[in-house]
Amino acid sequence: MSKIGLYVYQLRLSRKDNYQNVPFSDVGEGAELHTFLPQFIRSKLSTRQNDRIERSWRLEPAADQGRTRHGTVHYGTYGYSSKIVNPQNSAVLYDRDAGDVEEIPLYYRFWVPDFGNFGFAALQSFRERSCVGQVLGDLSKDFNDRFDNLRLTVKKVMPTSDDAYRNAPVKKLILSKKKVPKDRAEIMRRLEPDELNVELSFSVGRSGRFGMYSDVAPQIRAASGGAAFVFDGIEFDEASALINIGNTYRKVGIVGPANNAGVIDITEDVVLNEDQHPTFESVSEVSQGIISDFRQQFGMW
């Protein structure tokens, strides 16, 4: 799947006593989440560790953009020892202890409207590493513990059940397989690497399309592990679709590693630093555009 992805979630408010929807607003109950977000962010500036899953995270906020709060999640893994070595001579550069934390930067964005039925949260992933469960889990828990009358619900924008993707036309299907032995990819036999990442795409003409996402995705999932996922002896284990969101075609996961369905691939849309992580400015701009596309699709300007 994507090297750099974006998980998009809907944020909704409802009453705890009768589950009725509470529209967002700039005053009263509908304004509580917008007011609560800066307090939540300030409470997560120091590192939080979860020893059960051996993960840690902390927030580093950037300047607000109107109704948007955004910044960086410093997401860490720990719990095992390892050696950092020079691949040229195998010299040990650093001997990592099990208690040392390896951190990577992941972008986050919360947008809460001054009028509307829901807001959005967007969180970046990197090579299938994601902080969604930790950050949004704490956000919903802390909010729901704080308010006796209101409930915050966080819902992934899922392609199988949500109108945001359901009626989107599919322009291209992409099958991919990581770490294919070179002798399985006959046309690439003379290349140097022992293993290859292989991607196979199926496109339609300029004015054509495969159909709506709600029609295409179930067929692809049903074919997973079957003949439709085997081509020239290579069994593909991941599938994506290029679909229309707002006025832009974006690559979205259908089948892949756990919890990757519906993840938007932004790898080709961002600028990378020398450390191969996206620049804050580029991922912020892409995230803003994607949320704007969803706002347009839902009639929220």
Side-chain angles (χ1 to χ4, degrees):
M1 184 44 192
S2 60
K3 178 180 179 181
I4 302 169
L6 199 70
Y7 289 79
V8 181
Y9 283 75
Q10 289 181 355
L11 305 175
R12 290 179 179 266
L13 290 181
S14 61
R15 301 189 186 282
K16 285 185 176 178
D17 55 354
N18 57 16
Y19 294 94
Q20 287 190 350
N21 182 61
V22 176
F24 289 107
S25 64
D26 55 2
V27 294
E29 288 184 329
E32 295 290 13
L33 179 58
H34 183 67
T35 304
F36 177 78
L37 276 173
Q39 303 169 26
F40 170 79
I41 292 169
R42 285 195 298 270
S43 72
K44 311 301 179 185
L45 299 181
S46 58
T47 300
R48 302 175 60 81
Q49 288 188 306
N50 186 327
D51 291 335
R52 181 179 61 82
I53 60 174
E54 297 175 335
R55 298 290 184 271
S56 68
W57 63 279
R58 58 188 171 89
L59 299 182
E60 181 183 345
D64 295 343
Q65 297 178 340
R67 305 287 293 186
T68 293
R69 321 278 187 184
H70 70 151
T72 301
V73 183
H74 294 280
Y75 179 63
T77 59
Y78 62 95
Y80 59 92
S81 61
S82 63
K83 297 182 187 298
I84 308 299
V85 302
N86 184 328
Q88 304 302 321
N89 56 21
S90 299
V92 177
L93 302 177
Y94 179 72
D95 196 349
R96 167 178 155 161
D97 186 77
D100 293 341
V101 178
E102 173 196 320
E103 283 192 346
I104 59 173
L106 300 174
Y107 178 82
Y108 74 86
R109 173 178 287 258
F110 299 113
W111 175 76
V112 179
D114 52 10
F115 176 77
N117 288 327
F118 50 80
F120 288 107
L123 291 103
Q124 179 212 329
S125 63
F126 181 78
R127 295 187 177 181
E128 298 164 16
R129 290 192 187 184
S130 168
C131 59
V132 169
Q134 288 74 47
V135 176
L136 295 187
D138 268 22
L139 174 63
S140 58
K141 181 181 184 305
D142 290 0
F143 184 90
N144 293 335
D145 288 346
R146 170 79 173 273
F147 295 94
D148 295 330
N149 58 324
L150 294 175
R151 176 186 292 103
L152 172 65
T153 302
V154 178
K155 176 188 175 184
K156 187 178 181 182
V157 178
M158 289 291 289
T160 55
S161 61
D162 199 286
D163 288 340
Y165 288 160
R166 189 170 185 80
N167 296 319
V170 176
K171 189 71 172 178
K172 179 187 289 186
L173 290 173
I174 305 106
L175 305 182
S176 56
K177 174 75 172 180
K178 294 180 180 178
K179 296 183 178 180
V180 177
K182 185 174 58 177
D183 61 359
R184 294 288 301 280
E186 296 293 331
I187 196 171
M188 302 176 183
R189 183 178 290 277
R190 296 182 181 179
L191 297 184
E192 183 177 347
D194 293 328
E195 293 180 326
L196 304 163
N197 294 334
V198 178
E199 185 173 280
L200 177 67
S201 64
F202 302 87
S203 302
V204 293
R206 184 174 181 180
S207 59
R209 66 187 185 190
F210 285 97
M212 296 300 181
Y213 196 94
S214 58
D215 299 321
V216 175
Q219 296 183 49
I220 296 297
R221 293 193 178 100
S224 180
F229 260 51
V230 179
F231 188 86
D232 272 2
I234 299 175
E235 183 176 348
F236 294 89
D237 51 17
E238 300 182 19
S240 306
L242 201 66
I243 67 173
N244 183 257
I245 300 174
N247 294 320
T248 307
Y249 278 93
R250 300 190 183 276
K251 185 178 177 182
V252 175
I254 301 176
V255 176
N259 206 34
N260 260 358
V263 179
I264 300 174
D265 188 339
I266 62 172
T267 307
E268 302 299 323
D269 302 320
V270 296
V271 178
L272 300 182
N273 283 311
E274 291 183 359
D275 60 8
Q276 297 305 298
H277 289 282
T279 64
F280 181 88
E281 293 75 17
S282 68
V283 71
S284 174
E285 182 179 352
V286 171
S287 301
Q288 180 182 18
I290 289 174
I291 287 181
S292 295
D293 287 340
F294 279 124
R295 288 167 57 182
Q296 177 183 342
Q297 200 153 320
F298 281 97
M300 303 172 67
W301 305 96

